[in-house]
Amino acid sequence: MDRAEILELYASAGSGPPLPTGLNRVQHAWQCARLARNAGAAPSLQLAAWLHELGELRLGLNGGAPAATPDGEAVDPAQLSAAWLEPLFGPAVAEPVALQAAARRCLASTKADFRRRVPAGWLARIEHECGLQTPLEARAFLQRPFAPRAIRLCLWDVEAQDPGLWPPSIDAALDTLRRLMWLLQSSVPLRASVLMPRAGVGRRLTVLPARA
């Protein structure tokens, strides 16, 4: 996947169906990136906010439905997003995205206000799929290099849920995304797979073809 294909995906999503929250993918991504920009986040984290749901968009998921490979193996869309993003933009963009599941677990385990703000379905999925973090696990997670950025991204993801807030135009929003991608394009060579750590254990994810 390259920058042009990412832009094409988001351009198509601009007129796509709404998510269960009432937003569509581009509206939500733009709101996340807007929160990041207003918080003074680095361009790399702004781009992570834009593209944190690239995996869901590429796989055609709507509203967090479980993802799977053709042979039925469960897939974490955030890990797929990161696997596509790292060769293009480096770890400063990819790692906060890759750590989203762990960031949600950490916040749900340690912040009562976060538990009150998120949909009940989120908490049920966290508890069912991987459980809450113990205090020791939460402290260990927060020591990881990109964990603070992942936490910020997760909070923006929860906040960016206003169905009435739109960019001036889809074209203007996509132009912002385009400029960020061109600014942050990595010199890392594109490769077929990338090693993404998960729960302290390296796991190699095979990148799906950019087109079916």
Side-chain angles (χ1 to χ4, degrees):
M1 182 174 290
D2 59 24
R3 294 174 300 172
E5 289 169 316
I6 291 173
L7 278 172
E8 184 179 340
L9 275 174
Y10 278 81
S12 298
S15 57
L19 301 168
T21 57
L23 292 75
N24 72 19
R25 290 280 182 204
V26 170
Q27 186 185 13
H28 173 64
W30 173 80
Q31 287 187 21
C32 282
R34 179 176 180 267
L35 289 167
R37 185 190 68 240
N38 290 346
S44 58
L45 192 51
Q46 293 181 43
L47 185 58
W50 254 111
L51 300 179
H52 70 282
E53 291 186 345
L54 177 63
E56 286 93 335
L57 185 57
R58 174 65 185 85
L59 295 172
L61 302 180
N62 190 41
T69 62
D71 60 5
E73 182 183 357
V75 171
D76 179 354
Q79 292 287 321
L80 285 179
S81 299
W84 285 319
L85 293 171
E86 195 271 347
L88 289 171
F89 307 112
V93 175
E95 284 297 312
V97 174
L99 293 173
Q100 281 307 285
R104 286 193 292 269
R105 288 183 66 209
C106 181
L107 287 166
S109 303
T110 61
K111 302 293 183 182
D113 60 335
F114 178 81
R115 293 195 295 271
R116 289 191 294 267
R117 290 169 58 193
V118 300
W122 269 40
L123 294 178
R125 285 186 62 189
I126 290 171
E127 293 178 0
H128 173 72
E129 293 175 1
C130 46
L132 299 178
Q133 289 179 346
T134 66
L136 182 61
E137 288 173 331
R139 287 195 296 271
F141 169 72
L142 291 172
Q143 295 302 311
R144 298 182 67 167
F146 291 97
R149 296 186 182 192
I151 292 288
R152 296 179 77 191
L153 176 55
C154 187
L155 292 172
W156 295 326
D157 186 25
V158 171
E159 187 176 348
Q161 304 291 343
D162 184 352
L165 181 61
W166 285 88
S169 71
I170 296 299
D171 286 345
L174 293 176
D175 186 58
T176 301
L177 173 58
R178 180 184 299 106
R179 285 186 280 109
L180 276 172
M181 288 199 297
W182 258 252
L183 175 66
L184 292 165
Q185 184 180 23
S186 173
S187 60
V188 179
L190 195 63
R191 56 187 183 272
S193 61
V194 61
L195 189 64
M196 300 298 298
R198 186 174 183 182
V201 178
R203 180 183 180 186
R204 186 165 293 278
L205 291 175
T206 301
V207 178
L208 298 180
R211 294 188 179 280

